[in-house]
Amino acid sequence: MRSARLRRTRRASAVTLVSAMTLTALAACGTSSSDNDGDGASQPSGSTDASAPLDPKTKVSITIDCMPPAAKAAELKEWKEDVAEFNKTYPNVTIEGRSTPGQCLEPPRFTAMLKAKSQPDVFYTYFTDLPQVLSEDGAEDISAYVSDKTVPALKDIDPNVLGSLKQDGKLYGLPTSNYTMGLLVNRKLFKDAGLDPDAPPRTWDEVRAAAKKIAGLGEGISGFGEYSAGNTGGWHFTAQLYSLGGDIVDTSGKKAAFNNDLGKQVAKNLHAMRWEDDSMGKTQLLKWGDLQKQIATDKLGMFLAAPDDITYMVQQLGATYENFGMGPIPGGKNTLAGGNNYMIKKGISPDKIKAGIAWLNFKNLTVGKGQFDWSRAKTDSLPVGLPQPNFWLNESKKTDDAGRAASATMPVANFKAFMADPVPGKAEPPKAQEIYKVLDNVMSGILTNKDADVDKLLSTAETQVNQVLANQ
């Protein structure tokens, strides 16, 4: 749905931070960008090779989105360290960091920023933002600038992840994180119910059977949880349908594709778990944050999630890493995938483009450096060991996995099932948020009405989604 934790929202509430050296925090993400000092030409000044690395002698200043706020002291410390290290190679590049708490922007503010052309030189987006950014002519085509010279580990980045940042064969961004959804389990409740937490259910029939056993523990414990409000119900309906090999939208992108046997299988299975098995609890109309609270307090056995939900529960809800594990999404045909990335503002100078890519390569795309410096993260008491970001392949993956395991601050064995049998990721549908809002009605109908007419719910949703798609 969105990348990482709280992927559905972009938070506002900007703060301004100022630090020494080359780190200068500007105003919040929605403020005006640096001067648009280039004409958007595809070649850097003084060079005929766009793919060549930035000349270390080049003097340039660039604005970078989403510098950690003061409230995230360890992350901000590492950002400053990385700027200083980056400047050892590029002493004449000034990094001007822009900071906002949490994710960078709320959707309306993000849209307003794009329309005003006020985004930073290097700005944060989700994979699903690409159509909107391009419709506003907001991002530079960086295809000519990205090569194994400027991003040495390029060949080891999952092509499916890079594919999320492409349109018509042109590359518009570089990833910083990605996620795929799996089955998150409460290990304590699994053991209490006589289930093996190291072997989470692999089919939806197994999920149903396990949920009944966990709910049988009593004391208000639910076996399986689902969302049905705030667009999150539609998001999870999509994930479940993907897991069975289905689609929300057909290959043309213009017609709903869920009102069929697979869509009915998802809906009827959830209805049976809710009303026949009583394994999903009586409180419904849940949205993001509700299931996390339930499983963190040992009141829920399992739900679909991305790995970083666990960090949220530990850091914000007082849970412990040891109590959670993950397996691949039941069904295993496909899993909903997403992530976040940075794009380069359309129209800035070629030297700024090169500087931005050099920074993104150092900070986000170099094994053992920047965000992948796991030993430093451990020293700074940041979480290490989650299977996310997980976009590396080949030797980069082996090296990163080894470094992550060596500095782990959590029991990585709890994620072995999730990592050992990865399920192919599948991107969100077009017009995702509008479609999810429609599909919320299917999920809420199933989970709040014992006499729900599944066929009617899906038929009505199909009509409404077709209207959404017709308005693209």
Side-chain angles (χ1 to χ4, degrees):
M1 190 165 180
R2 288 294 191 189
S3 75
R5 179 168 59 88
L6 297 179
R7 58 189 58 84
R8 285 199 56 256
T9 59
R10 298 174 180 273
R11 297 181 186 174
S13 304
V15 295
T16 301
L17 300 173
V18 180
S19 67
M21 302 176 63
T22 59
L23 180 62
T24 303
L26 300 181
C29 289
T31 57
S32 61
S33 176
S34 60
D35 290 341
N36 205 12
D37 62 352
D39 60 4
S42 61
Q43 300 298 332
S45 58
S47 171
T48 57
D49 185 4
S51 67
L54 179 70
D55 186 336
K57 297 179 181 179
T58 301
K59 186 173 183 179
V60 67
S61 176
I62 55 173
T63 51
I64 308 290
D65 218 352
C66 295
M67 182 180 72
K72 293 189 173 183
E75 290 92 335
L76 181 58
K77 165 187 167 292
E78 293 188 355
W79 170 284
K80 293 178 181 180
E81 291 172 349
D82 287 339
V83 170
E85 184 67 24
F86 178 78
N87 281 145
K88 291 179 181 179
T89 302
Y90 301 104
N92 296 314
V93 176
T94 299
I95 300 294
E96 300 178 345
R98 295 184 173 181
S99 178
T100 42
Q103 303 291 4
C104 265
L105 296 172
E106 295 176 339
R109 193 172 180 184
F110 181 70
T111 298
M113 180 188 72
L114 289 175
K115 290 184 178 298
K117 310 299 183 186
S118 62
Q119 67 268 38
D121 299 324
V122 182
F123 64 102
Y124 172 100
T125 78
Y126 298 105
F127 289 175
T128 49
D129 289 330
L130 180 59
Q132 180 186 6
V133 173
L134 295 184
S135 72
E136 298 294 341
D137 199 26
E140 190 74 40
D141 171 12
I142 58 174
S143 305
Y145 293 86
V146 176
S147 69
D148 58 5
K149 297 177 184 177
T150 58
V151 182
L154 183 65
K155 68 181 185 305
D156 287 349
I157 299 175
D158 186 339
N160 292 320
V161 172
L162 285 177
S164 299
L165 306 174
K166 293 181 179 180
Q167 183 165 302
D168 300 326
K170 298 177 180 179
L171 181 66
Y172 290 96
L174 289 171
T176 182
S177 185
N178 69 312
Y179 74 90
T180 56
M181 294 182 69
L183 186 68
L184 194 154
V185 304
N186 180 301
R187 293 178 61 85
K188 176 183 182 300
L189 293 181
F190 260 63
K191 292 175 182 177
D192 289 348
L195 300 166
D196 183 358
D198 294 322
R202 302 297 293 268
T203 69
W204 286 104
D205 285 342
E206 290 177 358
V207 169
R208 185 176 177 183
K212 283 198 288 187
K213 288 185 177 181
I214 294 169
L217 296 171
E219 299 182 2
I221 294 171
S222 299
F224 181 74
E226 261 304 0
Y227 302 127
S228 53
N231 295 19
T232 55
W235 173 41
H236 271 213
F237 181 92
T238 298
Q240 289 207 32
L241 187 60
Y242 281 2
S243 77
L244 297 174
D247 285 298
I248 294 296
V249 177
D250 70 5
T251 54
S252 74
K254 298 178 180 179
K255 187 177 180 181
F258 56 80
N259 186 17
N260 51 30
D261 289 344
L262 290 180
K264 291 174 183 178
Q265 181 179 334
V266 171
K268 290 180 178 179
N269 184 61
L270 286 171
H271 188 268
M273 291 175 69
R274 168 69 178 93
W275 298 105
E276 295 176 25
D277 303 344
D278 193 24
S279 63
M280 296 185 66
K282 293 179 173 56
T283 302
Q284 296 299 327
L285 299 180
L286 304 175
K287 57 185 181 300
W288 202 98
D290 295 328
L291 296 179
Q292 288 79 358
K293 291 175 184 176
Q294 290 181 10
I295 202 168
T297 54
D298 298 332
K299 292 297 183 181
L300 175 64
M302 53 188 161
F303 74 103
L304 297 182
D308 63 345
D309 278 23
I310 301 173
T311 297
Y312 167 76
M313 292 186 291
V314 171
Q315 293 181 339
Q316 302 297 322
L317 304 178
T320 61
Y321 287 111
E322 289 74 15
N323 199 31
F324 303 108
M326 285 196 73
I329 193 168
K333 298 291 186 182
N334 292 292
T335 183
L336 193 147
N340 56 336
N341 61 282
Y342 283 88
M343 296 183 183
I344 306 294
K345 183 180 181 181
K346 182 70 174 288
I348 66 173
S349 72
D351 284 338
K352 283 194 174 192
I353 295 172
K354 285 198 161 196
I357 290 171
W359 167 256
L360 293 176
N361 173 66
F362 173 81
K363 179 66 174 173
N364 298 322
L365 298 172
T366 301
V367 174
K369 300 289 186 180
Q371 71 165 340
F372 293 108
D373 187 342
W374 300 118
S375 61
R376 178 180 68 171
K378 181 179 181 179
T379 299
D380 292 337
S381 299
L382 293 172
V384 180
L386 288 175
Q388 185 181 323
N390 189 31
F391 52 67
W392 292 124
L393 302 174
N394 309 318
E395 288 303 313
S396 291
K397 177 174 175 57
K398 292 179 183 178
T399 302
D400 183 61
D401 284 351
R404 200 180 307 224
S407 296
T409 60
M410 62 191 73
V412 295
N414 291 0
F415 313 119
K416 183 177 180 180
F418 180 76
M419 294 296 290
D421 192 12
V423 177
K426 188 178 179 69
E428 295 179 271
K431 309 286 283 189
Q433 295 305 314
E434 294 177 58
I435 289 175
Y436 294 161
K437 184 176 181 179
V438 171
L439 292 174
D440 266 3
N441 296 325
V442 176
M443 295 291 274
S444 62
I446 292 165
L447 299 176
T448 64
N449 182 5
K450 185 176 182 179
D451 300 317
D453 185 334
V454 168
D455 290 348
K456 184 176 180 180
L457 286 170
L458 289 173
S459 178
T460 299
E462 178 185 31
T463 299
Q464 293 172 342
V465 167
N466 283 337
Q467 292 172 345
V468 168
L469 295 171
N471 292 327
Q472 292 189 81

